[in-house]
Amino acid sequence: MSNTLTLPRSVEWNETYITLLDQQKLPLETVFIELKTLSDVWDSITSLKVRGAPAIGITAAFGLALAAQNYEVTSIQEFKDRLQKDRDYLASSRPTAVNLFWALDRMVRSISKAISVNEAKTTLTHEAIRIQVEDEAVCRQIGEYALSLFKNKDKVLTICNAGSIATARYGTALAPFHLAKERNIELQVFASETRPVLQGSRLTAWELKQSGVDVTLITDNMAAHTIAAKGINAVIVGADRITANGDTANKIGTYGLALLAKAFNIPFYVAAPISTFDVSLQSGREIPIEERHEDEVTHLNGQRIAPEGIKVFNPAFDVTPNELITAIITEQGILYNGTYTKSIEKLFNG
Ligand code: MRU
């Protein structure tokens, strides 16, 4: 089977720096930047140069590995204390995607048994690379399961960018479209532009077009009409955090699409790796929802589009209640509505 995915990687490890595809510059320019310090990494996450739950986690893991290479300490305890401090700093970059905390905590845990500073430095680099390599395999597997839910010529609606550039490769919600392309299965994708930051129009439209996937861009308020007029067969989205009962936080606008899918009686799928589950939370009400700067709403391309001094509410995510989700597609298989609490518990406790 041919592997035709030629998209650039969002994050790359280069021993003394991290190369990042600057997603704020897409689609007009494909610019790669070099992250050399912990604050470069923090800034790239906060300012959405890298975004998408798994890609944020991978970047933070490399950030921690990078910072640790420069610790000038001799005792392993001092090393661990520094690492914990840097972990906490990177953890403050964005609050909703649990993959950030998952990756950082996995990095910290990886050196729990290290007995020397050199050993700890090497282990951290290896662990970050492993997180990235595993994510690629995980996303491909999610793509396989997701593709099994679609038929040739299906029309599928998505929001935001849960694609290759939001992960190590392939993406989650967009993985089935990349795999379908490899296999000459025809799927038609409708990408919702995703105001206010436009991940749908800037990133998903760009990514799928680059891959030769049949993609049509709509604005967010066209969703209901498009489902009716174009005969959309399903909605598929990514996730930033899934709680123990299957409630799912994802990009603002996702909840609305889930309600529409229910009204039109079409399936609403969430595609996400196990690293996006947070079973320490019982329901979506406990998920911290990031609120971003009002400029994202009052300005477009640096140009003011709302009156000075207007009050703004700018939540970056919403929570879709589990009852609206037809299935959650993970690398371990597909979980179905009605049994989420049980099947999620089984994923974690066997
Ligand atoms: O604010 P963003 O662009 O980081 O939001 C991203 C999303 O909501 C994605 O759907 C989610 O992180 C999954 S990415 C595979």
Side-chain angles (χ1 to χ4, degrees), residues 52-53 56 96-99 238-242 248-251 276 317:
I56 292 170
T96 304
V98 79
N99 302 62
D240 286 84
R241 202 186 288 226
I242 302 173
T248 296
N250 190 51
K251 180 52 53 195
T276 299
F317 301 95

Side-chain angles (χ1 to χ4, degrees), residues 5-50:
L5 195 61
T6 53
L7 291 160
R9 283 189 187 277
S10 51
V11 193
E12 236 161 344
W13 173 248
N14 283 297
E15 306 295 335
T16 54
Y17 62 94
I18 300 162
T19 304
L20 201 72
L21 171 65
D22 185 346
Q23 298 193 34
Q24 285 290 39
K25 293 272 189 334
L26 287 170
L28 300 181
E29 292 171 87
T30 308
V31 174
F32 295 90
I33 53 173
E34 291 178 5
L35 311 180
K36 296 190 169 135
T37 66
L38 206 62
S39 70
D40 288 349
V41 174
W42 188 92
D43 170 74
S44 71
I45 296 172
T46 307
S47 63
L48 311 182
K49 292 185 179 79
V50 61

Side-chain angles (χ1 to χ4, degrees), residues 208-230:
L208 294 182
K209 193 162 180 289
Q210 288 273 313
S211 283
V213 174
D214 181 346
V215 57
T216 303
L217 178 64
I218 61 167
T219 65
D220 299 323
N221 51 357
M222 295 173 188
H225 178 76
T226 304
I227 294 173
K230 296 287 184 185

Side-chain angles (χ1 to χ4, degrees), residues 51-236:
R51 32 67 49 204
I56 292 170
I58 293 163
T59 306
F62 281 134
L64 217 46
L66 187 67
Q69 301 314 307
N70 300 321
Y71 294 169
E72 285 171 359
V73 294
T74 44
S75 103
I76 184 71
Q77 194 49 54
E78 266 180 282
F79 185 95
K80 288 179 179 172
D81 293 345
R82 278 285 298 275
L83 192 73
Q84 187 62 44
K85 226 172 104 234
D86 288 348
R87 177 253 171 239
D88 293 347
Y89 171 61
L90 287 182
S92 71
S93 55
R94 288 191 80 188
T96 304
V98 79
N99 302 62
L100 172 64
F101 316 105
W102 171 86
L104 288 170
D105 292 340
R106 181 168 155 175
M107 291 291 284
V108 170
R109 270 199 316 277
S110 75
I111 61 150
S112 61
K113 295 202 174 93
I115 50 173
S116 76
V117 166
N118 274 346
E119 181 197 343
K121 288 184 178 179
T122 311
T123 302
L124 286 171
T125 307
H126 289 169
E127 191 68 8
I129 293 169
R130 211 172 289 134
I131 287 173
Q132 186 178 39
V133 169
E134 282 176 15
D135 188 61
E136 176 168 342
V138 157
C139 287
R140 210 182 147 92
Q141 188 57 56
I142 289 173
E144 295 285 358
Y145 283 124
L147 190 53
S148 75
L149 296 169
F150 299 135
K151 323 180 286 307
N152 197 36
K153 305 226 188 264
D154 266 358
K155 296 174 183 169
V156 187
L157 176 62
T158 190
I159 187 168
C160 194
N161 172 272
S164 191
I165 58 172
T167 61
R169 215 158 137 81
Y170 293 103
T172 55
L174 299 191
F177 308 128
H178 291 303
L179 295 189
K181 186 69 203 166
E182 286 180 12
R183 290 163 200 185
N184 295 321
I185 298 168
E186 287 175 47
L187 295 177
Q188 209 178 325
V189 184
F190 287 79
S192 194
E193 71 170 346
T194 321
R195 269 288 283 157
V197 179
L198 304 176
Q199 291 93 333
S201 61
R202 291 189 305 103
L203 308 176
T204 293
W206 172 84
E207 173 176 328
L208 294 182
K209 193 162 180 289
Q210 288 273 313
S211 283
V213 174
D214 181 346
V215 57
T216 303
L217 178 64
I218 61 167
T219 65
D220 299 323
N221 51 357
M222 295 173 188
H225 178 76
T226 304
I227 294 173
K230 296 287 184 185
I232 299 288
N233 304 97
V235 179
I236 189 166

